[in-house]
Structure formats: structure tokens, C-alpha cells
Amino acid sequence: MSFHHCHRDPMPQQGLTPERLQARRQLCAACAVCCVFMAGEVVGGYLAHSLAIMTDAAHLLADVGSMMGSLFSLWLSTRPATRTMTFGWHRSETLGALASVVSLWMVTGILLYLAFIRLLHSDYHIEGGAMLLTASIAVCANLLMAFVLHQAGPPHSHGSRGAEYTPLEEGPREPLPLGNTSVRAAFVHVLGDLLQSLGVLAASILIYFKPQYKAADPISTFLFSIFALGSTAPTLRDVLRVLMEGTPRSVGFEPVRDTLLSVPGVRATHELHLWALTLTYHVASAHLAIDAAADPEAVLAEASSRLYSQFGISSCTLQVEQYRPEMAQCLRCREPPKA
């Protein structure tokens, strides 16, 4: 049989993967656009005396901070593994996405408080013309940033850190529309800002033609800030799943177990663990109990190949051991219960 080595790729990939290079370009472009239009909104909001415009600028400030943090985490993730950080720095991408969500929550909380104060006190004046012009520009800016950050999915890659895979038995292999975690979090930010900008634009049109309805300014801030909080739920759910070492959503426990049991010579499997360093970097480990006549090297090669090809596992560690009847009664060898 051909020699089987433990690594899927002969040489580790240096620097950023194509997916992360694309993410860095998207984040840099969006960050530049965001800075320019944020400065314009601060000036326009001040001249218009509009809290809604200033809140939109504050959301853009949160976006700039989160995107800069994401760019830093992308750079940090290229650092090689060390004896302390044995998996490298891949999870910094996930931490960057979490910081992005938390920053949006903090800014939104402040804005909700200010909007509530304005609803209680009506001693303020809104410049409808300046507000309308600034809100129109803000909508265009958010549309431009959404276009820059939009991604249908990661490009095709042959490396171990490339696109995700769908199990072969479930249908043809198609990339899952997950994309880079940091870009996805930034895109959610921009979508929330776009919807808020549309609300601010509607409020500015109303105030421009009907100045007596100036309460539309804090009301729009209140409503769309709540919506922005809700828009972070999917990203937060995925980030917490990664940080809690949960099984990746695109990889099922039972399909992986059945695939390992289908390898010739494998009698049983236990200590099966599935987790992820990022949404696209999946890791697996397991013990394979084999027949006495089975070739351990052949079993290891076939099992590793199936995990790589059918589930897109980026790194797997398999321990091959001889099957013993008492394994069926071992409490530690039993499968974990369903959640």
C-alpha cells in the first residue's frame, strides 16, 4: 500500500488563505467608505440637530471599530502555532466577531436611552433640510458598504482550510453560504445601519414637510436600534457555538460516526469529538476499535480520507486500537446523549 502521512497537505499554507485575503480586501474597502461617510454624518447631524442622524453616525463608528478589530484578528490568525497556542490563532477571528456584536449592543443601549429622553422632553429643534440631505447620503453610503461586504460564499479552494463541504450521501458538494466570520459580522452591522438609515430618511421627509412631527426623529432611533439588536442574533449564535466547542452546524455527529463505522476493519468507535476553531475550520478526534486482522495504517488512511472528503474536516486525530468485547460495557465508551 502507499505510504500514508498524518497531514492532509504536504506543506502548511503560509499567510492568509484566499478566503481571508478576500475578507481583508472587503473589510479595508468598507472601513474606508465608513470613515468618510461617518465624518459627513457627524457634521450633518450637528447642523440638523438630529439625534437620529447622530445615532446613525454612532453606528458607523461602531462599524469602524469592529472592522478594524476584524482586520487585526485576520492578521493575528496568520501567526504560526506555538507550544502554548498549539492550534495557532484561528479563533481570533471568532473573538473579533464577538467584539463586533458586543460593541453594537453597547452603542445601541446608549442611543436607546437618548431617544427615550427626547420622547419625554420636546424642547429641541430639527433642521429638516439638513437632516433630509444627510439621511439621503447615509442611505447611499450603507448601500455601497453592503455591496462591498456582500459575499455569496467562500471561493473554491483545495487546501485544508478552504470551503466547507456537504456530506456526499446528502447530495452534491456545494459550498455552504457561511463565508468569513468577520465579514459576515460586519455585513450584519451594515444591514442594520442601512435599515436604520432608511427609517431616518423616512423620518426626515416627514419632518421636512411637517415640522410639527419632529418626534419622528427619536421614534425612528428607538425602533431601528431595537431591530439592529435583533439582527445580531444569528452571528452571536454561531460565535457562541464555536466558543462552546459545539459540533459544527454543517457536520452531524451521527453521519460522522456512521462513516467511521463503515470503514473496513472498524468494529466500534468511541470518544468521538467534533468542534470548530472558526465557522470554516472543523476539527475531529475519535478512537477506532478495529479487528485483530485489520491493518491499522490502512484503517487510519481510509478513515482520515473519508473525513476530509465527505465532511471537509480540516484537522483530525484518530487513535486506532484493537477491539475488545468489554468495550461494549464501558461507560466511558458510550455515545453522548442527544441535546
Side-chain angles (χ1 to χ4, degrees):
M1 60 172 289
S2 61
F3 178 74
H4 170 70
H5 192 49
C6 57
H7 301 295
R8 184 184 182 190
D9 295 327
M11 289 293 293
Q13 186 170 357
Q14 300 296 325
L16 292 173
T17 63
E19 294 85 357
R20 294 190 176 191
L21 283 173
Q22 178 188 1
R24 187 176 66 179
R25 288 192 296 267
Q26 290 174 304
L27 289 171
C28 286
C31 192
V33 173
C34 196
C35 287
V36 171
F37 285 97
M38 178 186 65
E41 277 202 309
V42 170
V43 175
Y46 176 79
L47 295 177
H49 309 292
S50 171
L51 177 60
I53 296 295
M54 297 299 287
T55 59
D56 205 25
H59 275 281
L60 289 180
L61 176 62
D63 289 346
V64 170
S66 65
M67 283 187 279
M68 293 182 65
S70 298
L71 287 169
F72 175 74
S73 68
L74 284 175
W75 169 81
L76 193 63
S77 67
T78 63
R79 297 184 59 186
T82 65
R83 296 183 181 181
T84 302
M85 307 294 290
T86 56
F87 272 112
W89 301 79
H90 298 285
R91 192 159 284 176
S92 62
E93 176 188 329
T94 305
L95 294 176
L98 179 61
S100 174
V101 171
V102 172
S103 66
L104 181 59
W105 282 17
M106 294 176 61
V107 172
T108 302
I110 297 173
L111 301 179
L112 286 173
Y113 170 77
L114 294 176
F116 182 73
I117 295 299
R118 275 207 169 183
L119 286 175
L120 292 179
H121 307 283
S122 59
D123 53 344
Y124 59 92
H125 173 70
I126 304 294
E127 293 290 342
M131 181 180 179
L132 179 58
L133 176 62
T134 307
S136 301
I137 296 175
V139 170
C140 296
N142 282 292
L143 285 173
L144 179 58
M145 286 190 294
F147 175 77
V148 170
L149 292 171
H150 176 70
Q151 54 180 17
H156 182 66
S157 172
H158 295 282
S160 63
R161 302 174 194 181
E164 297 96 335
Y165 294 82
T166 300
L168 294 180
E169 60 268 24
E170 295 183 6
R173 183 180 303 170
E174 296 289 344
L176 296 174
L178 292 176
N180 180 273
T181 317
S182 300
V183 176
R184 184 186 178 190
F187 184 66
V188 169
H189 267 222
V190 172
L191 284 183
D193 289 344
L194 175 59
L195 290 173
Q196 177 176 333
S197 296
L198 290 173
V200 173
L201 179 60
S204 65
I205 294 174
L206 178 62
I207 294 174
Y208 180 77
F209 290 103
K210 300 286 185 179
Q212 64 269 26
Y213 294 129
K214 62 181 181 179
D217 180 73
I219 290 176
S220 63
T221 301
F222 188 81
L223 294 178
F224 286 93
S225 293
I226 294 177
F227 181 84
L229 288 178
S231 67
T232 63
T235 299
L236 183 63
R237 177 195 60 199
D238 289 339
V239 165
L240 292 180
R241 192 183 187 100
V242 170
L243 295 180
M244 293 299 294
E245 309 285 353
T247 300
R249 286 196 299 155
S250 59
V251 180
F253 183 91
E254 290 81 4
V256 173
R257 176 203 60 196
D258 295 342
T259 297
L260 293 175
L261 290 175
S262 67
V263 175
V266 176
R267 290 282 302 276
T269 180
H270 56 274
E271 295 291 336
L272 175 59
H273 298 284
L274 302 168
W275 71 101
L277 299 182
T278 69
L279 289 180
T280 61
Y281 195 109
H282 301 161
V283 186
S285 67
H287 291 195
L288 303 180
I290 64 174
D291 294 323
D295 183 352
E297 284 290 331
V299 170
L300 177 60
E302 180 63 21
S304 300
S305 177
R306 295 189 183 190
L307 290 180
Y308 289 140
S309 62
Q310 297 186 26
F311 301 98
I313 300 296
S314 300
S315 175
C316 68
T317 302
L318 301 177
Q319 176 176 315
V320 180
E321 56 196 24
Q322 187 173 343
Y323 176 78
R324 296 189 300 273
E326 56 266 25
M327 288 182 176
Q329 307 300 324
C330 178
L331 296 179
R332 297 189 61 181
C333 293
R334 293 182 179 178
E335 293 183 0
K338 293 184 177 180

